C-alpha cells in the first residue's frame, strides 16, 4: 500500500500556473516574525533577519524559488530541537506524562512556510464548523455558538447532549501519506505537494534537557510542531469527519443549518438531542479515526446533558467499544460548562489560576 502511495505522489501533477515567491513577499513575512523567540538548531533568531542587510531578502527569495522548482528543502529545515516543558509545575516532575514537548525550528523555515501559505493558502480550507486557527475566529466564537445552540433547543423544551471528545496525541500521529492524498484530492499544486513530501519525509529531532542533547531520531508521523502550516494541515486532515457528520444529519439543526458538531483544531464537541443519534455519530467518528490512524482517549471523553431532562438516568453510549462517561461538568477550550436545566458556565477555576499566578 505504501509503495502505491509513493508512486501516486511521484507522478502527481496538478495543472496550475507557476507560483513565484517575490522579494516583497519574503520581506512581508519576515516583518511578521515575533522577536524574543528561542532560536532553532541553527542558532538564528528573528532579530537576525529583521536587522540584516536588505540583500539577504533577495537571496532568500532566490533560495525559496529554487526549492519550489526542485521540490526539495535543505536538511536543516527538517531538524528540530524538542524542549520538555512541565504541564504542571506543582505536579510530579519525575513523571514523563507531566511534560509537553515544545519543538524549536529554524526561523528561516518559518519564513518559507509563511510564503507557502500566501501562495497556496486557498487549498488549505476547512469546514465552517472548524473554528481553530482561522482569521477573526477564536475560542470565544466556538463557545458562543455552542451556547446559542443549547439555549435555542432548551428554550423549546429539548434536552441537548453535549459530547466532548479527546483525540490521543492528535497532532503527533498524523499519517503523512493520508495527508498528502487529501491534498492531492483537492488538486493542490504539485510544487506544494512535492515540497511537503520532501520536508516531512526527512524530519528529525533531538531532545534537549538542560545542557544535555539526545541522539537524533526520525519523526515518521505527525505535523511539525510549531510550524506555520501545521494547524491548517491538521484541519485538512480531519475535515472529512466534519463533512460526514453534517451529511448524516443526526445532530442539532436550526432551520436548514446543521450545527451537529464544533471543532477547534483537535477539540471536538458533538451536539444532539437524542442519545441514539449520538451513538451513531460516535460510530462515524470512530470509523473515521481508524481510517486516519488516530484514536480517541475514552477516559477523557464525556457527555454532558443540558435541558429539562438533564438528571434522567440514561443508557450508556460507546466509542471504540469503551463507554463514554456522563458527567456534571465539562471543560471545553478553557470554559467550564455545567449540566442543568439551562446553559451555565463557571469561571471559578480560571479565577483561581489567575490569583495563584500572583502568589
Amino acid at each position: 500500500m505504501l509503495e502505491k502511495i509513493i508512486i501516486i505522489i511521484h507522478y502527481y501533477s496538478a495543472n496550475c500556473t507557476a507560483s513565484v515567491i517575490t522579494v516583497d513577499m519574503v520581506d512581508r513575512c519576515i516583518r511578521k516574525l515575533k522577536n524574543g523567540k528561542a532560536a532553532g538548531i541553527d542558532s538564528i533568531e528573528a532579530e537576525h533577519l529583521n536587522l540584516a542587510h536588505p540583500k539577504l531578502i533577495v537571496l532568500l527569495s532566490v533560495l525559496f524559488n529554487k526549492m519550489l522548482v526542485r521540490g526539495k528543502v535543505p536538511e536543516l529545515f527538517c531538524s528540530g530541537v524538542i524542549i520538555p516543558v512541565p504541564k504542571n509545575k506543582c505536579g510530579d516532575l519525575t513523571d514523563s506524562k507531566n511534560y509537553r514537548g515544545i519543538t524549536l525550528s529554524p526561523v528561516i523555515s518559518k519564513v518559507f512556510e509563511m510564503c507557502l501559505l500566501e501562495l497556496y493558502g486557498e487549498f488549505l480550507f476547512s469546514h465552517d464548523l472548524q473554528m481553530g486557527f482561522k482569521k477573526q475566529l477564536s475560542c470565544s466564537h466556538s463557545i458562543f455558538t455552542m451556547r446559542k445552540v443549547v439555549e435555542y433547543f432548551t428554550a423549546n423544551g429539548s434536552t441537548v447532549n453535549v459530547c466532548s471528545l479527546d483525540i490521543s496525541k492528535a497532532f503527533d500521529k498524523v499519517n503523512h501519506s493520508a495527508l498528502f492524498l487529501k491534498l492531492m484530492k483537492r488538486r493542490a499544486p504539485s510544487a506544494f505537494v512535492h515540497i511537503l513530501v520532501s520536508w516531512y519525509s526527512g524530519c528529525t529531532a533531538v531532545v534537549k534537557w538542560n545542557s544535555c542533547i539526545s541522539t537524533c531520531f526520525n519523526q515518521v508521523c505527525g505535523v511539525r510542531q510549531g510550524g506555520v502550516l501545521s494547524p491548517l494541515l491538521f484541519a485538512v486532515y480531519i475535515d472529512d469527519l466534519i463533512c460526514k457528520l453534517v451529511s448524516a444529519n443526526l445532530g442539532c439543526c436550526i432551520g436548514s443549518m446543521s450545527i451537529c458538531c464544533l471543532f477547534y483544531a483537535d477539540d471536538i464537541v458533538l451536539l444532539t438531542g437524542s442519545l441514539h443519534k449520538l451513538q451513531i455519530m460516535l460510530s462515524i467518528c470512530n470509523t473515521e479515526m481508524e481510517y486516519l490512524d488516530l484514536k480517541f482517549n475514552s477516559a477523557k471523553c464525556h457527555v454532558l446533558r443540558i435541558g429539562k431532562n438533564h438528571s434522567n438516568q440514561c443508557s450508556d453510549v460507546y466509542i471504540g467499544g469503551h463507554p463514554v462517561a456522563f458527567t456534571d461538568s465539562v471543560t471545553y477550550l478553557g470554559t467550564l460548562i455545567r449540566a442543568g436545566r439551562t446553559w451555565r458556565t463557571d469561571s471559578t477555576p480560571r479565577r483561581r489560576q489567575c490569583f495563584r499566578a500572583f502568589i
Side-chain angles (χ1 to χ4, degrees):
M1 181 63 182
L2 181 59
E3 293 179 354
K4 291 182 179 179
I5 293 174
I6 294 174
I7 294 174
I8 292 172
I9 295 174
H10 180 73
Y11 289 102
Y12 173 72
S13 178
N15 295 325
C16 63
T17 57
S19 300
V20 178
I21 297 177
T22 64
V23 174
D24 288 339
M25 185 187 299
V26 175
D27 182 59
R28 207 163 45 241
C29 293
I30 289 177
R31 303 302 168 218
K32 293 179 183 178
L33 294 173
K34 295 181 180 179
N35 294 330
K37 298 294 183 179
I41 198 169
D42 56 0
S43 301
I44 298 177
E45 301 178 6
E47 289 84 348
H48 290 107
L49 301 185
N50 281 317
L51 302 175
H53 192 280
K55 186 181 292 185
L56 176 66
I57 301 174
V58 179
L59 296 175
L60 286 178
S61 66
V62 173
L63 172 64
F64 292 165
N65 283 301
K66 291 293 184 181
M67 289 160 56
L68 283 178
V69 172
R70 297 292 182 181
K72 300 288 184 180
V73 297
E75 185 177 338
L76 204 61
F77 275 29
C78 304
S79 304
V81 180
I82 300 176
I83 309 295
V85 177
K87 298 178 182 178
N88 181 10
K89 294 182 180 179
C90 299
D92 185 4
L93 298 180
T94 63
D95 185 4
S96 60
K97 295 181 180 179
N98 189 34
Y99 287 86
R100 178 186 294 108
I102 304 298
T103 304
L104 304 179
S105 302
V107 67
I108 297 179
S109 70
K110 293 184 179 181
V111 177
F112 181 56
E113 283 188 280
M114 290 179 183
C115 295
L116 291 178
L117 183 58
E118 285 202 25
L119 289 177
Y120 307 117
E122 61 183 294
F123 297 97
L124 301 178
F125 60 87
S126 57
H127 198 281
D128 290 340
L129 293 177
Q130 171 63 268
M131 300 186 183
F133 306 103
K134 290 184 176 180
K135 290 183 178 180
Q136 300 180 342
L137 288 178
S138 63
C139 297
S140 59
H141 291 88
S142 184
I143 297 295
F144 178 80
T145 303
M146 187 194 309
R147 174 184 176 179
K148 288 303 178 182
V149 171
V150 171
E151 288 180 342
Y152 175 85
F153 280 88
T154 54
N156 288 279
S158 299
T159 300
V160 180
N161 299 288
V162 180
C163 181
S164 68
L165 301 176
D166 180 80
I167 306 176
S168 300
K169 307 292 184 182
F171 284 81
D172 297 330
K173 293 186 177 181
V174 170
N175 185 295
H176 294 163
S177 298
L179 174 61
F180 301 145
L181 289 175
K182 288 178 179 291
L183 289 172
M184 289 187 287
K185 185 179 179 181
R186 296 180 176 213
R187 301 304 298 168
S190 54
F192 182 47
V193 174
H194 290 154
I195 204 77
L196 289 178
V197 171
S198 169
W199 206 331
Y200 277 88
S201 61
C203 282
T204 60
V206 295
V207 178
K208 184 177 181 180
W209 181 267
N210 294 328
S211 58
C212 299
I213 297 179
S214 72
T215 55
C216 186
F217 58 90
N218 296 323
Q219 295 179 305
V220 297
C221 61
V223 290
R224 297 175 59 254
Q225 191 184 86
V228 176
L229 296 174
S230 297
L232 299 176
L233 291 174
F234 181 80
V236 170
Y237 190 66
I238 63 172
D239 192 58
D240 286 345
L241 175 56
I242 305 178
C243 297
K244 290 180 180 180
L245 290 172
V246 172
S247 300
N249 196 29
L250 298 169
C252 293
C253 293
I254 300 178
S256 59
M257 182 185 301
S258 174
I259 313 178
C260 59
C261 60
L262 292 171
F263 281 57
Y264 199 93
D266 60 332
D267 290 307
I268 304 173
V269 164
L270 306 181
L271 303 169
T272 180
S274 165
L275 285 174
H276 173 68
K277 292 181 178 179
L278 176 59
Q279 180 60 71
I280 299 176
M281 293 172 71
L282 289 173
S283 299
I284 293 173
C285 291
N286 190 64
T287 301
E288 183 67 14
M289 287 299 108
E290 289 180 350
Y291 172 74
L292 296 176
D293 283 344
L294 297 176
K295 290 184 179 180
F296 286 110
N297 185 352
S298 58
K300 294 184 178 180
C301 297
H302 301 94
V303 179
L304 180 81
R305 288 171 57 82
I306 303 175
K308 64 179 182 179
N309 298 323
H310 71 94
S311 59
N312 289 6
Q313 189 70 25
C314 301
S315 58
D316 291 333
V317 291
Y318 297 83
I319 186 165
H322 302 282
V324 180
F326 287 84
T327 184
D328 293 330
S329 63
V330 165
T331 300
Y332 180 66
L333 301 179
T335 300
L336 185 65
I337 305 169
R338 297 284 188 184
R341 294 184 64 87
T342 59
W343 172 273
R344 294 184 302 149
T345 59
D346 188 355
S347 61
T348 302
R350 282 296 182 184
R351 290 203 301 270
R352 289 174 180 170
Q353 289 180 357
C354 180
F355 295 149
R356 192 180 297 120
F358 290 96
I359 298 177

